[in-house]
Each structure stands twice: as structure tokens, then as C-alpha cells.
Amino acid sequence: MASNGIVGGPQAQSLTEFQDLVVNKQYTDWAIVAGEKRYHVHSVVPCAQSEYFRSAMKGGDWKEGKTHEISVDDDPCLLGSLIGLLHGNILAPECTVDDIIELHALASKRLCPGAKLKCEMWFREHFGSRWYSDEFLTAVKRVYEGTEAGDPALKTLYSSIIKAHHLNLMKKDEFRELTIRNYKPCGDVLNIVSVKRGEFQMSGLPHGLG
């Protein structure tokens, strides 16, 4: 997954210098390890943005507190992207939807609300002009039916996009198939009840109906 720095202006220059410290490992005081990958971090950065890392790095008699090293079972590349977000990176437009869905799930797992918000902002910008694409419908199916099915934030985000464009989306056979025949994964958020004369109607569908 690629990531961009923010460019332009004094604030951007300060952020770039801060990111360079991570690359050069200057003044880092902790390591986060996943598989064979070891990421050196400034503890104040993840601790300020993650309840998980704050708890793990608080020291005391824990093994982590003595070794200044945390081992996690996360995908090493995804973990690197998450650490990059915590240190000020932004998500590049060329990232894939699958990349961001997986990164959003990891940010949720590691209790990083700011990183989750960055992922959600990427989705909103990415699908702002792509809501009619098959890619959007695939993403909706994954969030409602896949391993990320429990995350309400992405459901709410996708629901808002669908509600804004529902009349045009209902012209797509794939979308009608998704909404009409899948009340259990979709009905609680989308509140889809029926389609009459090609028009999309919405009301309060009881959770789990279907």
C-alpha cells in the first residue's frame, strides 16, 4: 500500500521532518514487531492515538514494558501502513479498496480512531464520483457480508452514499439484486422494503427481517 506525505507550507514541512524521523529511526524508543518485520516508533505517537498501544506501552511489570517491544499477530505490511498513518502519513489515491478496508479493520482492532477516520475519509472521497461503479457494489457486499460485517462505521458511510444516489443505483440490476434479496445483511442500515415501478422506497424495516 502506497502512502503520500503532505506537501506545501510550513506545517507540511514540519510534518515531513517528523515523518523523516521515523524513517531514520532517530529518537525512537519502542519497537512493534509483526512476523519478521520490526517497526521502530516514538512511543508518544501511538500512545496518544491508540488505547491498545497506550495500555501495552505503559510499562510496569509487563514483559513489553521491560523490553520496549510489542509483538502482534497483524499482517506486517498492513501494520506498517497503520504506523505510517499514526505518524502523519495520508492515504494515496492509488490505494485499492481492499487495502483500505483491511487497514480500517486493523485500525479498529488496535483502537486507533484517528486512523479509522482517515480510511473513512478516503472511502468518501474515492466513491464520491464512483458510486455507480461495480467496485462500489463489491465494497458494499464485502462490508455487509464479509469479515468486516460487524463494523458500523463503514455501513453508515456506505448507507449515506447509497441514500444520496438510490434512484440511479436502482437502475443497476446488481444493486437491485443486492438490496431486494439480502435483507439480513443490508436491511438494518439501508431500511430497504420494496421496489415499485422502478422506484426505490425506504422505511423502517425491522432488524433481521428477511
Short mmCIF file of all heavy atoms in Angstrom, two decimals, residues 44-109:
data_model
loop_
_atom_site.label_atom_id
_atom_site.label_comp_id
_atom_site.label_asym_id
_atom_site.label_seq_id
_atom_site.Cartn_x
_atom_site.Cartn_y
_atom_site.Cartn_z
N VAL A 44 5.30 8.07 22.17
CA VAL A 44 4.30 9.10 22.40
C VAL A 44 3.29 9.15 21.25
O VAL A 44 2.11 9.50 21.47
CB VAL A 44 4.97 10.48 22.59
CG1 VAL A 44 5.66 10.93 21.30
CG2 VAL A 44 3.95 11.52 23.05
N VAL A 45 3.69 8.76 20.05
CA VAL A 45 2.80 8.86 18.89
C VAL A 45 1.69 7.81 18.93
O VAL A 45 0.50 8.16 18.93
CB VAL A 45 3.60 8.78 17.57
CG1 VAL A 45 2.65 8.82 16.38
CG2 VAL A 45 4.59 9.93 17.49
N PRO A 46 2.01 6.50 18.99
CA PRO A 46 0.92 5.52 19.09
C PRO A 46 0.15 5.63 20.40
O PRO A 46 -1.07 5.39 20.43
CB PRO A 46 1.64 4.17 18.97
CG PRO A 46 3.06 4.43 19.31
CD PRO A 46 3.32 5.84 18.87
N CYS A 47 0.83 5.99 21.50
CA CYS A 47 0.14 6.09 22.79
C CYS A 47 -0.91 7.20 22.78
O CYS A 47 -1.96 7.08 23.41
CB CYS A 47 1.14 6.34 23.91
SG CYS A 47 2.11 4.89 24.37
N ALA A 48 -0.63 8.27 22.05
CA ALA A 48 -1.57 9.39 22.00
C ALA A 48 -2.79 9.08 21.14
O ALA A 48 -3.81 9.75 21.26
CB ALA A 48 -0.86 10.63 21.47
N GLN A 49 -2.68 8.05 20.29
CA GLN A 49 -3.74 7.81 19.31
C GLN A 49 -4.39 6.43 19.42
O GLN A 49 -5.30 6.12 18.64
CB GLN A 49 -3.17 7.97 17.89
CG GLN A 49 -2.59 9.34 17.63
CD GLN A 49 -1.96 9.42 16.26
OE1 GLN A 49 -2.64 9.49 15.25
NE2 GLN A 49 -0.63 9.40 16.22
N SER A 50 -3.94 5.62 20.36
CA SER A 50 -4.45 4.25 20.44
C SER A 50 -4.49 3.79 21.89
O SER A 50 -3.45 3.74 22.56
CB SER A 50 -3.55 3.31 19.61
OG SER A 50 -3.77 1.96 19.96
N GLU A 51 -5.67 3.42 22.33
CA GLU A 51 -5.81 2.87 23.68
C GLU A 51 -5.07 1.55 23.80
O GLU A 51 -4.49 1.23 24.84
CB GLU A 51 -7.29 2.66 24.01
CG GLU A 51 -7.55 2.06 25.39
CD GLU A 51 -7.05 2.94 26.52
OE1 GLU A 51 -7.11 4.18 26.39
OE2 GLU A 51 -6.59 2.37 27.54
N TYR A 52 -5.03 0.78 22.71
CA TYR A 52 -4.32 -0.51 22.73
C TYR A 52 -2.83 -0.30 22.98
O TYR A 52 -2.24 -0.92 23.87
CB TYR A 52 -4.54 -1.24 21.41
CG TYR A 52 -3.68 -2.48 21.28
CD1 TYR A 52 -4.08 -3.69 21.84
CD2 TYR A 52 -2.45 -2.44 20.62
CE1 TYR A 52 -3.29 -4.83 21.75
CE2 TYR A 52 -1.65 -3.56 20.52
CZ TYR A 52 -2.07 -4.76 21.07
OH TYR A 52 -1.27 -5.87 20.99
N PHE A 53 -2.20 0.57 22.19
CA PHE A 53 -0.76 0.79 22.36
C PHE A 53 -0.45 1.51 23.66
O PHE A 53 0.58 1.27 24.28
CB PHE A 53 -0.21 1.56 21.16
CG PHE A 53 -0.15 0.76 19.90
CD1 PHE A 53 -0.85 1.17 18.76
CD2 PHE A 53 0.57 -0.42 19.83
CE1 PHE A 53 -0.81 0.42 17.59
CE2 PHE A 53 0.62 -1.18 18.67
CZ PHE A 53 -0.08 -0.76 17.55
N ARG A 54 -1.34 2.40 24.08
CA ARG A 54 -1.13 3.11 25.35
C ARG A 54 -1.10 2.11 26.50
O ARG A 54 -0.25 2.19 27.39
CB ARG A 54 -2.24 4.14 25.55
CG ARG A 54 -2.07 4.97 26.80
CD ARG A 54 -2.84 6.27 26.69
NE ARG A 54 -4.26 6.10 26.44
CZ ARG A 54 -4.86 6.42 25.30
NH1 ARG A 54 -4.17 6.91 24.29
NH2 ARG A 54 -6.16 6.24 25.16
N SER A 55 -1.99 1.13 26.47
CA SER A 55 -2.03 0.12 27.52
C SER A 55 -0.80 -0.78 27.47
O SER A 55 -0.21 -1.11 28.50
CB SER A 55 -3.30 -0.71 27.38
OG SER A 55 -3.35 -1.75 28.34
N ALA A 56 -0.40 -1.16 26.25
CA ALA A 56 0.74 -2.07 26.10
C ALA A 56 2.07 -1.42 26.45
O ALA A 56 3.01 -2.09 26.90
CB ALA A 56 0.79 -2.60 24.66
N MET A 57 2.16 -0.09 26.28
CA MET A 57 3.43 0.58 26.49
C MET A 57 3.54 1.28 27.85
O MET A 57 4.53 1.97 28.11
CB MET A 57 3.65 1.64 25.38
CG MET A 57 3.85 1.05 24.01
SD MET A 57 4.09 2.35 22.75
CE MET A 57 4.37 1.35 21.28
N LYS A 58 2.58 1.08 28.70
CA LYS A 58 2.60 1.83 29.95
C LYS A 58 3.66 1.34 30.93
O LYS A 58 3.90 1.96 31.95
CB LYS A 58 1.22 1.79 30.61
CG LYS A 58 0.77 0.43 31.08
CD LYS A 58 -0.63 0.51 31.68
CE LYS A 58 -1.13 -0.84 32.15
NZ LYS A 58 -2.51 -0.76 32.70
N GLY A 59 4.29 0.20 30.62
CA GLY A 59 5.42 -0.24 31.44
C GLY A 59 5.00 -1.12 32.58
O GLY A 59 4.21 -2.04 32.41
N GLY A 60 5.57 -0.88 33.73
CA GLY A 60 5.28 -1.71 34.89
C GLY A 60 6.01 -3.03 34.80
O GLY A 60 7.14 -3.12 34.33
N ASP A 61 5.35 -4.08 35.29
CA ASP A 61 5.98 -5.39 35.33
C ASP A 61 5.76 -6.20 34.07
O ASP A 61 6.19 -7.34 33.97
CB ASP A 61 5.43 -6.19 36.54
CG ASP A 61 5.83 -5.55 37.85
OD1 ASP A 61 6.90 -4.92 37.88
OD2 ASP A 61 5.06 -5.67 38.83
N TRP A 62 5.04 -5.65 33.09
CA TRP A 62 4.78 -6.39 31.87
C TRP A 62 6.09 -6.62 31.12
O TRP A 62 7.02 -5.80 31.18
CB TRP A 62 3.83 -5.62 30.96
CG TRP A 62 2.42 -5.53 31.50
CD1 TRP A 62 2.01 -5.80 32.76
CD2 TRP A 62 1.27 -5.13 30.77
NE1 TRP A 62 0.66 -5.60 32.88
CE2 TRP A 62 0.18 -5.19 31.66
CE3 TRP A 62 1.05 -4.73 29.46
CZ2 TRP A 62 -1.12 -4.86 31.28
CZ3 TRP A 62 -0.25 -4.41 29.08
CH2 TRP A 62 -1.31 -4.48 29.98
N LYS A 63 6.15 -7.72 30.40
CA LYS A 63 7.32 -8.02 29.58
C LYS A 63 7.57 -6.90 28.59
O LYS A 63 8.71 -6.47 28.35
CB LYS A 63 7.13 -9.34 28.84
CG LYS A 63 8.25 -9.68 27.88
CD LYS A 63 7.95 -10.97 27.12
CE LYS A 63 9.03 -11.26 26.09
NZ LYS A 63 8.73 -12.49 25.31
N GLU A 64 6.48 -6.39 27.98
CA GLU A 64 6.63 -5.32 26.99
C GLU A 64 7.26 -4.09 27.61
O GLU A 64 8.06 -3.39 26.98
CB GLU A 64 5.26 -4.97 26.39
CG GLU A 64 4.67 -6.03 25.48
CD GLU A 64 3.90 -7.10 26.26
OE1 GLU A 64 3.98 -7.09 27.50
OE2 GLU A 64 3.25 -7.93 25.62
N GLY A 65 6.87 -3.81 28.85
CA GLY A 65 7.41 -2.62 29.50
C GLY A 65 8.89 -2.71 29.77
O GLY A 65 9.59 -1.68 29.84
N LYS A 66 9.41 -3.90 29.92
CA LYS A 66 10.83 -4.08 30.19
C LYS A 66 11.66 -4.13 28.90
O LYS A 66 12.79 -3.67 28.87
CB LYS A 66 11.04 -5.36 30.99
CG LYS A 66 10.43 -5.31 32.39
CD LYS A 66 10.65 -6.62 33.15
CE LYS A 66 10.04 -6.55 34.55
NZ LYS A 66 10.23 -7.82 35.30
N THR A 67 11.09 -4.72 27.87
CA THR A 67 11.85 -4.87 26.61
C THR A 67 11.62 -3.73 25.64
O THR A 67 12.35 -3.57 24.67
CB THR A 67 11.45 -6.19 25.92
OG1 THR A 67 10.06 -6.13 25.55
CG2 THR A 67 11.71 -7.37 26.83
N HIS A 68 10.57 -2.93 25.88
CA HIS A 68 10.17 -1.86 24.95
C HIS A 68 9.92 -2.44 23.55
O HIS A 68 10.30 -1.85 22.54
CB HIS A 68 11.22 -0.75 24.91
CG HIS A 68 11.10 0.19 26.05
ND1 HIS A 68 11.42 1.52 25.96
CD2 HIS A 68 10.68 0.00 27.34
CE1 HIS A 68 11.21 2.11 27.13
NE2 HIS A 68 10.76 1.21 27.98
N GLU A 69 9.26 -3.59 23.54
CA GLU A 69 8.95 -4.25 22.28
C GLU A 69 7.58 -4.92 22.40
O GLU A 69 7.28 -5.57 23.39
CB GLU A 69 10.01 -5.30 21.96
CG GLU A 69 9.77 -6.04 20.66
CD GLU A 69 10.93 -6.98 20.34
OE1 GLU A 69 12.07 -6.50 20.21
OE2 GLU A 69 10.68 -8.20 20.25
N ILE A 70 6.74 -4.72 21.38
CA ILE A 70 5.42 -5.33 21.34
C ILE A 70 5.37 -6.25 20.12
O ILE A 70 5.72 -5.85 19.01
CB ILE A 70 4.31 -4.28 21.20
CG1 ILE A 70 4.37 -3.28 22.35
CG2 ILE A 70 2.94 -4.94 21.15
CD1 ILE A 70 3.43 -2.11 22.16
N SER A 71 4.92 -7.48 20.31
CA SER A 71 4.72 -8.42 19.21
C SER A 71 3.23 -8.57 18.96
O SER A 71 2.45 -8.79 19.90
CB SER A 71 5.33 -9.78 19.53
OG SER A 71 6.74 -9.69 19.62
N VAL A 72 2.83 -8.41 17.71
CA VAL A 72 1.41 -8.53 17.34
C VAL A 72 1.28 -9.54 16.21
O VAL A 72 2.25 -9.84 15.51
CB VAL A 72 0.83 -7.16 16.90
CG1 VAL A 72 0.82 -6.18 18.07
CG2 VAL A 72 1.63 -6.58 15.75
N ASP A 73 0.07 -10.06 16.05
CA ASP A 73 -0.17 -11.07 15.02
C ASP A 73 -0.75 -10.46 13.74
O ASP A 73 -1.41 -11.14 12.96
CB ASP A 73 -1.12 -12.15 15.55
CG ASP A 73 -2.46 -11.59 15.98
OD1 ASP A 73 -2.65 -10.35 15.93
OD2 ASP A 73 -3.34 -12.39 16.38
N ASP A 74 -0.50 -9.18 13.51
CA ASP A 74 -1.07 -8.49 12.36
C ASP A 74 -0.25 -8.74 11.10
O ASP A 74 0.92 -9.13 11.16
CB ASP A 74 -1.11 -6.98 12.63
CG ASP A 74 -1.89 -6.65 13.90
OD1 ASP A 74 -2.88 -7.36 14.18
OD2 ASP A 74 -1.49 -5.71 14.61
N ASP A 75 -0.87 -8.51 9.95
CA ASP A 75 -0.14 -8.55 8.68
C ASP A 75 0.96 -7.48 8.72
O ASP A 75 0.68 -6.31 9.00
CB ASP A 75 -1.10 -8.27 7.52
CG ASP A 75 -0.39 -8.21 6.19
OD1 ASP A 75 0.12 -7.12 5.83
OD2 ASP A 75 -0.33 -9.24 5.51
N PRO A 76 2.21 -7.85 8.47
CA PRO A 76 3.31 -6.88 8.60
C PRO A 76 3.16 -5.64 7.74
O PRO A 76 3.45 -4.53 8.20
CB PRO A 76 4.55 -7.69 8.20
CG PRO A 76 4.17 -9.12 8.49
CD PRO A 76 2.71 -9.21 8.16
N CYS A 77 2.71 -5.81 6.50
CA CYS A 77 2.58 -4.65 5.61
C CYS A 77 1.46 -3.73 6.06
O CYS A 77 1.59 -2.51 6.06
CB CYS A 77 2.35 -5.12 4.18
SG CYS A 77 3.78 -5.94 3.45
N LEU A 78 0.32 -4.33 6.46
CA LEU A 78 -0.79 -3.52 6.97
C LEU A 78 -0.38 -2.77 8.23
O LEU A 78 -0.73 -1.60 8.41
CB LEU A 78 -1.99 -4.41 7.26
CG LEU A 78 -2.94 -4.72 6.11
CD1 LEU A 78 -4.06 -5.64 6.59
CD2 LEU A 78 -3.51 -3.46 5.49
N LEU A 79 0.35 -3.45 9.10
CA LEU A 79 0.81 -2.80 10.32
C LEU A 79 1.69 -1.61 9.98
O LEU A 79 1.59 -0.54 10.60
CB LEU A 79 1.57 -3.79 11.20
CG LEU A 79 2.15 -3.21 12.49
CD1 LEU A 79 1.04 -2.72 13.41
CD2 LEU A 79 3.02 -4.24 13.20
N GLY A 80 2.56 -1.76 8.99
CA GLY A 80 3.40 -0.65 8.57
C GLY A 80 2.59 0.53 8.08
O GLY A 80 2.90 1.69 8.37
N SER A 81 1.51 0.23 7.35
CA SER A 81 0.64 1.31 6.87
C SER A 81 -0.06 2.00 8.03
O SER A 81 -0.21 3.22 8.05
CB SER A 81 -0.40 0.75 5.90
OG SER A 81 0.22 0.22 4.74
N LEU A 82 -0.50 1.21 9.02
CA LEU A 82 -1.15 1.80 10.19
C LEU A 82 -0.19 2.69 10.97
O LEU A 82 -0.53 3.81 11.36
CB LEU A 82 -1.69 0.69 11.10
CG LEU A 82 -2.32 1.16 12.42
CD1 LEU A 82 -3.52 2.07 12.15
CD2 LEU A 82 -2.72 -0.03 13.27
N ILE A 83 1.02 2.21 11.18
CA ILE A 83 2.02 3.02 11.89
C ILE A 83 2.32 4.29 11.11
O ILE A 83 2.50 5.37 11.69
CB ILE A 83 3.31 2.20 12.13
CG1 ILE A 83 3.02 1.07 13.14
CG2 ILE A 83 4.45 3.08 12.62
CD1 ILE A 83 4.15 0.10 13.31
N GLY A 84 2.35 4.18 9.80
CA GLY A 84 2.54 5.37 8.97
C GLY A 84 1.43 6.39 9.17
O GLY A 84 1.69 7.59 9.27
N LEU A 85 0.18 5.92 9.24
CA LEU A 85 -0.93 6.84 9.49
C LEU A 85 -0.79 7.51 10.85
O LEU A 85 -1.04 8.71 10.98
CB LEU A 85 -2.26 6.08 9.42
CG LEU A 85 -2.76 5.63 8.05
CD1 LEU A 85 -4.14 4.99 8.18
CD2 LEU A 85 -2.82 6.78 7.06
N LEU A 86 -0.39 6.75 11.84
CA LEU A 86 -0.23 7.32 13.18
C LEU A 86 0.86 8.38 13.21
O LEU A 86 0.83 9.30 14.02
CB LEU A 86 0.09 6.22 14.19
CG LEU A 86 -0.97 5.14 14.40
CD1 LEU A 86 -0.51 4.12 15.43
CD2 LEU A 86 -2.30 5.76 14.82
N HIS A 87 1.84 8.25 12.32
CA HIS A 87 2.95 9.21 12.27
C HIS A 87 2.72 10.30 11.22
O HIS A 87 3.66 11.01 10.85
CB HIS A 87 4.27 8.48 11.99
CG HIS A 87 4.84 7.81 13.21
ND1 HIS A 87 4.37 6.61 13.68
CD2 HIS A 87 5.83 8.19 14.06
CE1 HIS A 87 5.06 6.26 14.75
NE2 HIS A 87 5.94 7.20 15.01
N GLY A 88 1.50 10.44 10.74
CA GLY A 88 1.17 11.59 9.90
C GLY A 88 1.03 11.34 8.43
O GLY A 88 0.73 12.27 7.67
N ASN A 89 1.25 10.10 7.96
CA ASN A 89 1.06 9.83 6.53
C ASN A 89 -0.41 9.95 6.16
O ASN A 89 -1.30 9.81 6.99
CB ASN A 89 1.55 8.42 6.18
CG ASN A 89 3.06 8.32 6.17
OD1 ASN A 89 3.76 9.31 6.36
ND2 ASN A 89 3.56 7.12 5.97
N ILE A 90 -0.65 10.20 4.87
CA ILE A 90 -2.01 10.18 4.35
C ILE A 90 -2.12 9.05 3.34
O ILE A 90 -1.10 8.53 2.87
CB ILE A 90 -2.40 11.53 3.70
CG1 ILE A 90 -1.51 11.83 2.49
CG2 ILE A 90 -2.33 12.66 4.71
CD1 ILE A 90 -1.96 13.04 1.70
N LEU A 91 -3.34 8.68 3.04
CA LEU A 91 -3.58 7.56 2.13
C LEU A 91 -3.55 8.04 0.69
O LEU A 91 -4.21 9.02 0.34
CB LEU A 91 -4.92 6.90 2.44
CG LEU A 91 -5.00 6.25 3.83
CD1 LEU A 91 -6.45 5.94 4.18
CD2 LEU A 91 -4.16 4.99 3.87
N ALA A 92 -2.79 7.35 -0.13
CA ALA A 92 -2.65 7.75 -1.53
C ALA A 92 -3.91 7.39 -2.31
O ALA A 92 -4.55 6.38 -2.03
CB ALA A 92 -1.44 7.06 -2.15
N PRO A 93 -4.28 8.20 -3.31
CA PRO A 93 -5.46 7.89 -4.12
C PRO A 93 -5.37 6.54 -4.82
O PRO A 93 -6.39 5.90 -5.09
CB PRO A 93 -5.48 9.04 -5.15
CG PRO A 93 -4.73 10.15 -4.48
CD PRO A 93 -3.67 9.48 -3.67
N GLU A 94 -4.15 6.08 -5.13
CA GLU A 94 -3.99 4.82 -5.87
C GLU A 94 -4.11 3.58 -4.99
O GLU A 94 -4.03 2.46 -5.49
CB GLU A 94 -2.65 4.80 -6.60
CG GLU A 94 -1.41 4.86 -5.72
CD GLU A 94 -0.91 6.28 -5.53
OE1 GLU A 94 -1.72 7.22 -5.68
OE2 GLU A 94 0.28 6.44 -5.21
N CYS A 95 -4.32 3.74 -3.69
CA CYS A 95 -4.59 2.57 -2.85
C CYS A 95 -5.84 1.87 -3.36
O CYS A 95 -6.73 2.49 -3.94
CB CYS A 95 -4.81 3.00 -1.40
SG CYS A 95 -3.36 3.64 -0.56
N THR A 96 -5.93 0.58 -3.13
CA THR A 96 -7.11 -0.16 -3.56
C THR A 96 -8.16 -0.17 -2.44
O THR A 96 -7.84 0.04 -1.27
CB THR A 96 -6.76 -1.62 -3.92
OG1 THR A 96 -6.41 -2.33 -2.72
CG2 THR A 96 -5.60 -1.67 -4.90
N VAL A 97 -9.40 -0.44 -2.82
CA VAL A 97 -10.48 -0.51 -1.84
C VAL A 97 -10.20 -1.62 -0.83
O VAL A 97 -10.41 -1.45 0.38
CB VAL A 97 -11.82 -0.73 -2.54
CG1 VAL A 97 -12.93 -1.02 -1.52
CG2 VAL A 97 -12.19 0.50 -3.37
N ASP A 98 -9.73 -2.76 -1.31
CA ASP A 98 -9.41 -3.87 -0.40
C ASP A 98 -8.34 -3.47 0.61
O ASP A 98 -8.40 -3.83 1.78
CB ASP A 98 -8.95 -5.11 -1.18
CG ASP A 98 -10.11 -5.85 -1.82
OD1 ASP A 98 -11.27 -5.56 -1.46
OD2 ASP A 98 -9.87 -6.71 -2.68
N ASP A 99 -7.32 -2.72 0.14
CA ASP A 99 -6.28 -2.22 1.04
C ASP A 99 -6.89 -1.44 2.19
O ASP A 99 -6.56 -1.65 3.36
CB ASP A 99 -5.32 -1.28 0.29
CG ASP A 99 -4.32 -2.01 -0.58
OD1 ASP A 99 -4.07 -3.20 -0.35
OD2 ASP A 99 -3.77 -1.37 -1.50
N ILE A 100 -7.78 -0.51 1.84
CA ILE A 100 -8.31 0.41 2.85
C ILE A 100 -9.30 -0.30 3.77
O ILE A 100 -9.36 0.00 4.97
CB ILE A 100 -8.95 1.64 2.19
CG1 ILE A 100 -7.97 2.29 1.20
CG2 ILE A 100 -9.33 2.67 3.25
CD1 ILE A 100 -6.64 2.69 1.82
N ILE A 101 -10.08 -1.22 3.24
CA ILE A 101 -10.99 -1.98 4.09
C ILE A 101 -10.19 -2.77 5.13
O ILE A 101 -10.53 -2.79 6.32
CB ILE A 101 -11.87 -2.93 3.25
CG1 ILE A 101 -12.92 -2.14 2.46
CG2 ILE A 101 -12.57 -3.96 4.15
CD1 ILE A 101 -13.80 -3.00 1.58
N GLU A 102 -9.11 -3.41 4.70
CA GLU A 102 -8.29 -4.18 5.63
C GLU A 102 -7.58 -3.27 6.63
O GLU A 102 -7.46 -3.60 7.82
CB GLU A 102 -7.27 -5.01 4.85
CG GLU A 102 -7.91 -6.13 4.04
CD GLU A 102 -6.90 -6.89 3.19
OE1 GLU A 102 -5.69 -6.57 3.27
OE2 GLU A 102 -7.32 -7.78 2.43
N LEU A 103 -7.13 -2.11 6.17
CA LEU A 103 -6.47 -1.17 7.07
C LEU A 103 -7.46 -0.60 8.08
O LEU A 103 -7.14 -0.42 9.26
CB LEU A 103 -5.82 -0.05 6.25
CG LEU A 103 -5.01 0.99 7.03
CD1 LEU A 103 -3.93 0.33 7.88
CD2 LEU A 103 -4.39 2.00 6.06
N HIS A 104 -8.67 -0.33 7.63
CA HIS A 104 -9.72 0.16 8.52
C HIS A 104 -10.01 -0.88 9.61
O HIS A 104 -10.17 -0.53 10.79
CB HIS A 104 -10.97 0.47 7.71
CG HIS A 104 -12.09 1.08 8.50
ND1 HIS A 104 -13.03 0.35 9.18
CD2 HIS A 104 -12.41 2.39 8.71
CE1 HIS A 104 -13.88 1.15 9.78
NE2 HIS A 104 -13.54 2.40 9.51
N ALA A 105 -10.07 -2.16 9.21
CA ALA A 105 -10.32 -3.22 10.18
C ALA A 105 -9.18 -3.32 11.20
O ALA A 105 -9.43 -3.52 12.39
CB ALA A 105 -10.50 -4.56 9.46
N LEU A 106 -7.94 -3.15 10.74
CA LEU A 106 -6.80 -3.20 11.66
C LEU A 106 -6.81 -2.01 12.61
O LEU A 106 -6.53 -2.15 13.81
CB LEU A 106 -5.49 -3.24 10.88
CG LEU A 106 -4.21 -3.28 11.73
CD1 LEU A 106 -4.20 -4.51 12.65
CD2 LEU A 106 -2.96 -3.29 10.83
N ALA A 107 -7.13 -0.83 12.08
CA ALA A 107 -7.21 0.35 12.94
C ALA A 107 -8.29 0.17 14.00
O ALA A 107 -8.12 0.61 15.15
CB ALA A 107 -7.50 1.59 12.09
N SER A 108 -9.37 -0.48 13.64
CA SER A 108 -10.42 -0.77 14.61
C SER A 108 -9.94 -1.77 15.66
O SER A 108 -10.16 -1.58 16.87
CB SER A 108 -11.66 -1.32 13.89
OG SER A 108 -12.70 -1.62 14.80
N LYS A 109 -9.25 -2.81 15.22
CA LYS A 109 -8.72 -3.83 16.12
C LYS A 109 -7.74 -3.24 17.12
O LYS A 109 -7.73 -3.61 18.31
CB LYS A 109 -8.05 -4.92 15.29
CG LYS A 109 -7.35 -6.01 16.09
CD LYS A 109 -6.67 -7.00 15.15
CE LYS A 109 -5.91 -8.08 15.90
NZ LYS A 109 -5.20 -9.01 14.97
#
